[in-house]
Amino acid sequence: SYHVVDYDMRTGKVRSRCTAQGYSDESAWARGQAWGIYGYTMCYRYTRQLKYLEQAEAAYEFVCTHPNLPEDLIPYWDFDAPDLSSGEPKDASAAAITASALLELSTYVTERDSSHYYYDQAEKMLEMLSSSAYKAGDTKYAFLLHSVGHMPRGGEVDASIIYADYYYLEALIRFKRLQEKRSILANL
């Protein structure tokens, strides 16, 4: 998924595609992938058009089968960054966004196995994010550690960022609501 697509206003044709915060324009920036899963799930919520549900599932299939996804399901900042084994930072914000999206996605798919799979994956991500490896505790005025804002510019690298905390809390609320057999959406 691209971060930015620039269209010609007169013709509607694509002029350029870029991934400003990823390793390269053609790489798989982890938070971009997460927002794709989240966004297509949300599009399905509002339109009920199957193409959005299928795209959300395809986006997660790409993530969960990517050979560079760590066992703890917290992705590196970019799936295609070089030298992932030598200490490239992980992005807790990407995992928090994905977990929240998967919980919602689990309520829309009709195949029981898929529904359980998305729910279980989200639960594993939340367990890891809630562990001492990622939880800030008393060390910062934040909930999560180890997110990446803008690696190419060196901004917010291995940091706590507000949207990681937002989606983490949203995912925890959604998880609790599902356990209580309630809608994940607060107004329902």
Side-chain angles (χ1 to χ4, degrees):
S1 63
Y2 294 101
H3 194 169
V4 176
V5 178
D6 181 25
Y7 295 91
D8 183 296
M9 290 178 58
R10 280 180 257 146
T11 66
K13 291 186 179 186
V14 174
R15 294 192 312 197
S16 65
R17 296 175 177 97
C18 69
T19 305
Q21 294 179 343
Y23 173 68
S24 72
D25 290 341
E26 299 303 321
S27 68
W29 172 50
R31 196 168 62 253
Q33 301 303 315
W35 276 330
I37 298 162
Y38 192 97
Y40 282 113
T41 300
M42 184 183 291
C43 285
Y44 178 75
R45 177 195 326 150
Y46 289 114
T47 67
R48 297 298 183 196
Q49 291 184 28
L50 192 56
K51 65 183 179 181
Y52 295 123
L53 183 67
E54 291 169 347
Q55 189 60 42
E57 290 187 280
Y60 186 64
E61 180 69 17
F62 173 84
V63 167
C64 75
T65 61
H66 200 285
N68 292 333
L69 179 65
E71 283 188 37
D72 69 1
L73 302 179
I74 312 302
Y76 294 101
W77 72 280
D78 192 300
F79 288 97
D80 300 315
D83 304 320
L84 291 176
S85 61
S86 68
E88 288 282 342
K90 289 189 170 184
D91 190 354
S93 72
I97 295 163
T98 301
S100 187
L102 290 177
L103 289 169
E104 184 170 355
L105 187 58
S106 77
T107 68
Y108 298 142
V109 295
T110 56
E111 288 183 29
R112 186 176 174 92
D113 289 345
S114 293
S115 177
H116 286 297
Y117 178 70
Y118 296 141
Y119 180 91
D120 291 345
Q121 291 289 100
E123 182 177 26
K124 288 175 186 174
M125 288 175 200
L126 287 173
E127 285 176 5
M128 185 52 64
L129 291 172
S130 298
S131 75
S132 60
Y134 292 95
K135 203 161 132 187
D138 294 334
T139 63
K140 293 188 175 197
Y141 293 111
F143 293 111
L144 295 177
L145 303 169
H146 310 305
S147 290
V148 177
H150 199 313
M151 183 73 163
R153 290 198 180 155
E156 299 178 312
V157 176
D158 195 21
S160 295
I161 49 182
I162 191 71
Y163 38 90
D165 287 351
Y166 173 88
Y167 288 100
Y168 174 64
L169 290 175
E170 180 182 78
L172 289 173
I173 291 167
R174 287 177 167 193
F175 184 72
K176 182 177 189 265
R177 291 176 72 90
L178 285 174
Q179 287 182 324
E180 295 169 347
K181 307 280 190 242
R182 296 168 56 204
S183 169
I184 61 155
L185 303 175
N187 59 347
L188 299 177

